């Protein structure tokens, strides 16, 4: 599912970024570009990051 429409970032891409070494929301944002435009997706993006980090 798309988390960020502006940048076309999916929840899968956010998870992959974490599996590939990102360990914070900020790093995920820098690596995927999520929430770097309108910012509406920030809440959901943070939630996906939090959930994924607590499962690795
Ligand atoms: Fe993610 Fe706009 S939907 S920055």
């Amino acid at each position: 599912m798309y988390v960020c429409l502006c940048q076309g970032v999916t929840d899968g891409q956010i998870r992959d970024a974490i599996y590939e070494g990102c360990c914070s929301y900020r790093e995920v944002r820098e690596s995927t570009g999520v929430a770097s435009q309108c910012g509406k997706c920030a809440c959901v993006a943070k939630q996906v990051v939090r959930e994924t980090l607590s499962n690795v």
Side-chain angles (χ1 to χ4, degrees):
M1 115 194 145
Y2 278 107
V3 170
C4 177
L5 289 178
C6 294
Q7 299 289 340
V9 181
T10 63
D11 58 338
Q13 281 172 278
I14 293 178
R15 287 197 192 98
D16 284 347
I18 290 169
Y19 299 146
E20 283 160 16
C22 289
C23 50
S24 68
Y25 169 68
R26 210 183 57 165
E27 287 180 10
V28 169
R29 197 183 57 198
E30 282 165 7
S31 128
T32 63
V34 73
S36 59
Q37 281 191 36
C38 75
K40 274 189 204 148
C41 56
C43 230
V44 180
K46 276 182 199 160
Q47 205 180 318
V48 174
V49 169
R50 220 176 358 222
E51 276 171 20
T52 311
L53 286 175
S54 62
N55 287 326
V56 271

